[in-house]
Every structure is written in structure tokens, then in C-alpha cells.
Amino acid sequence: FTIFVNATNQTLGNSGNRYEIVMDQAYLRYQAYTFEGFQWGSFWGGRMPNPWVHTDLVWDSDLGFEGLAATFYLNLIRADGLEDVSEFGPKMFLTLGAFPLQERELSAQDKWLFGSQIGLDWVFSNQSKVIFAVAYYNFDNLVGQRNDPLNDPEGLLTQETAPEFMQKGNTLFDILDNPNDLDADLLALAADYNLLNPTLVIDLAHFAPYHLVLYLDYVKNIGYEEDEVSSRAIQVTGSEVEGYQVKLVAGWPTVTKYRDWQFYLAFKHLEADAVLDAFTDSDFHLGGTDTEGWLAGFQYGLDDNTWVTIRWLSADEINGPPFGVDVAQIDLNVRF
């Protein structure tokens, strides 16, 4: 049983009150191996770290996943015995996951995320690595439902179809028609979200201990039906359902020791309904979708398990009125 407390940002000051501690991750994990020593499976249950090969194009790095997940591995080079076991060579993997998002007390149509990802992980003898993965994320029962103004004017039976949390960017529509209060409104998602997400990672270790890593990430919402969305929402700008990110990282793979360093530069383009805006990076454009721009960051090890992170994020609106957001962050990180 593993319990993690993880927060990438801490706001100081609590008005003299005591600090509260919450568990960011608490999960059970079982790892299965063959007699030859190859890992063939990994099984997770609880509130766990992100189980997918991913970047921050689709998922915020702080996001926790609560549910069940399993990853199965297939080594493409067979070992005849323990002496032949090697960490190098190609390996295929398949990850499956099911995560409840929101319970609807008055309905059986709870909101769920069902995900699957298949990929190839190839580690070379010089520690270079190539990972290619294709994920499919199916969000179930997320589209809002309008109330019946005659039998349910307050929208008690449909109000839970509105999301509990959202940022900005996704196409919304008003699901509340209340003849007793014409000014009342309640916004919900107008589109389905079924995401196809291929990801390529090329990690070059020719300059070890320094690495040069290239990330190429693309996502498309193949569940978006423009006719259905237009029938719900008043203003629809078209099928804005694609996103991509190109990121280059240089330096140490992870910064944990004195004088370790890492630098990265990235460009991100994320259209309005490419992904759920609730789960995107909350710092880039201050969260949400319908945005594009640049990200740059630098990390440096001040001591063992102590490092500083400096980030610059510059993003603009893709459609609509101009809305640019520049964010500078300086974080002191300590691990113990």
C-alpha cells in the first residue's frame, strides 16, 4: 500500500489556521513477472498517477486518476532463461483503464472515462529509447440534457448532467428552461468527447549523462458531431477538434541532484473541442482550450533532492476576441 502527498504548487498563508493534509495519491499496485524475470503485467486500483504515456497536451500534470487500470507487456525478444533477461530491445504494451468522473444520484447514467492505449517501447543498448503509443479515451454520458419545463421546471432531474468543474473553451449550451425564472441558466457540454491520441517520444542518450528528448503529441476528438452540437448550442464556430504539441527537452532526464539541469521548449496548439477543458494544464492560458502558444522551462539542482524550476508560458486565443496570457513561475522543490 502506497500513499503519496504531491503538490507542485503551494500557496503560503492560511489566515492563522492549521494546515490541512489531503492524500493526492493512495493506491494498490501489483506487478506480475514470468519465471524468466520479464514483467508481463501491472495492476492499479485507487487514486493513482497518470497510467498513460502522455504529455500535458491532453492531461494536466497535477491530475489524479481514481479507478482501475492495468498494463500488459509483451517482450518481442524471447529469453531462454534468467541469464538471457535484458532490459533492452522492443516491448509492446497495452493499458486499459476505467475511471468514474461524476455520480448522478437520480440517474443510472453516471459519467465515466474508459481508456485504452497500445504502444511500442524500444530501449537501445546505449540507453536511448523510442516510445510510440496510440490512445483512445471514451468519455461516457458527458453531454448535457435539457429539463422538461412543464414537469421539471427547476431542472432537478437534469442538473447533474452539467459538469462539476470546467475551465474554458469547450462548446456549451443552456440546459435549464424555467418558465418561473426566465433569467435562470445552467451551462453544460454540447459535444461528445472521444479522443484519438497518438504520442511519439524519442529519447537520445548519445551525450550521456545528458539526454535530448523530442515529444510529438497529437489529439483529435472523433466523437464531435457538428450537426448534433449545432442543434444544442446557439453559437458554433465549426469543428475545432484538433490539437498538437512539439516539445524538445535537453539535459538530465530528471533533476534530483546538485548541479543537475534541464531545459525545454515547446509549442502547443489546442482547439476548442479537441479535449475536455477541465483536464488541461491549468497554467497554460490559465487553463482550458481554444489556445496556442509557447512554453519554456529550466530546472537546476541546488542540492540533492532540492531544485528550482523556472517556467514561462505565453498563450493566445485561437478564435474569438484577442485574449493573451503570459505566465511566469518560479518554484522551489524539495523531496524527502
Side-chain angles (χ1 to χ4, degrees):
F1 184 74
T2 307
I3 295 179
F4 290 90
V5 177
N6 177 31
T8 58
N9 297 289
Q10 173 64 45
T11 301
L12 299 179
N14 59 355
S15 302
N17 293 322
R18 298 176 178 176
Y19 280 114
E20 296 181 357
I21 296 178
V22 296
M23 296 300 175
D24 181 59
Q25 296 176 7
Y27 58 89
L28 295 173
R29 181 177 64 179
Y30 174 74
Q31 295 175 293
Y33 294 84
T34 66
F35 288 111
E36 291 81 13
F38 283 120
Q39 183 181 2
W40 65 266
S42 182
F43 305 89
W44 308 68
R47 187 171 179 84
M48 68 192 73
N50 194 320
W52 321 107
V53 174
H54 69 285
T55 71
D56 59 5
L57 178 68
V58 178
W59 308 111
D60 192 314
S61 60
D62 297 343
L63 190 64
F65 287 74
E66 190 165 356
L68 299 173
T71 300
F72 303 94
Y73 305 96
L74 175 63
N75 287 278
L76 301 183
I77 297 180
R78 181 180 176 182
D80 296 326
L82 293 176
E83 67 277 4
D84 297 324
V85 173
S86 174
E87 62 179 316
F88 306 118
K91 178 172 60 178
M92 293 191 67
F93 62 88
L94 172 66
T95 299
L96 305 173
F99 307 95
L101 300 178
Q102 182 179 339
E103 180 182 2
R104 293 182 57 190
E105 296 182 359
L106 302 179
S107 172
Q109 295 182 330
D110 295 337
K111 300 180 182 182
W112 284 81
L113 163 61
F114 299 101
S116 60
Q117 184 179 64
I118 188 170
L120 177 70
D121 185 346
W122 196 318
V123 180
F124 298 89
S125 58
N126 65 350
Q127 300 296 330
S128 294
K129 178 189 296 186
V130 174
I131 302 175
F132 178 68
V134 179
Y136 175 71
Y137 306 115
N138 177 27
F139 292 90
D140 202 21
N141 297 322
L142 259 62
V143 176
Q145 298 177 9
R146 285 193 175 95
N147 67 309
D148 183 343
L150 297 179
N151 299 317
D152 184 25
E154 301 294 332
L156 299 178
L157 299 177
T158 58
Q159 61 183 356
E160 291 182 335
T161 65
E164 289 183 322
F165 174 78
M166 54 185 175
Q167 297 188 89
K168 60 181 182 294
N170 289 163
T171 302
L172 306 173
F173 74 113
D174 187 5
I175 63 171
L176 183 58
D177 183 2
N178 189 343
N180 301 321
D181 186 357
L182 299 180
D183 294 328
D185 57 10
L186 180 62
L187 298 179
L189 296 170
D192 280 306
Y193 290 85
N194 299 322
L195 311 183
L196 185 64
N197 177 212
T199 304
L200 176 64
V201 182
I202 303 175
D203 183 350
L204 301 178
H206 297 78
F207 314 101
Y210 309 114
H211 285 233
L212 188 64
V213 187
L214 176 65
Y215 295 86
L216 301 175
D217 204 6
Y218 173 80
V219 65
K220 182 174 182 178
N221 179 12
I222 61 176
Y224 186 97
E225 297 289 345
E226 187 170 355
D227 292 340
E228 293 184 4
V229 176
S230 299
S231 68
R232 302 182 185 113
I234 297 177
Q235 294 183 344
V236 178
T237 58
S239 299
E240 300 289 336
V241 295
E242 296 182 89
Y244 61 87
Q245 179 171 256
V246 179
K247 183 176 182 180
L248 185 65
V249 181
W252 289 78
T254 57
V255 176
T256 58
K257 297 181 180 180
Y258 175 56
R259 298 181 71 177
D260 287 357
W261 61 272
Q262 184 188 97
F263 172 79
Y264 76 83
L265 180 67
F267 180 80
K268 181 189 296 187
H269 174 94
L270 196 58
E271 296 173 358
D273 289 300
V275 300
L276 274 177
D277 63 34
F279 297 148
T280 60
D281 185 350
S282 58
D283 298 320
F284 187 73
H285 206 236
L286 298 182
T289 60
D290 192 24
T291 180
E292 66 177 7
W294 293 89
L295 307 88
F298 179 73
Q299 297 185 75
Y300 185 77
L302 302 177
D303 203 343
D304 289 352
N305 296 318
T306 303
W307 67 99
V308 64
T309 300
I310 302 173
R311 296 209 304 164
W312 176 264
L313 307 91
S314 180
D316 293 290
E317 195 90 357
I318 295 177
N319 291 309
F323 177 44
V325 178
D326 295 325
V327 177
Q329 293 180 328
I330 301 178
D331 294 329
L332 178 64
N333 307 276
V334 178
R335 184 168 63 182
F336 53 88

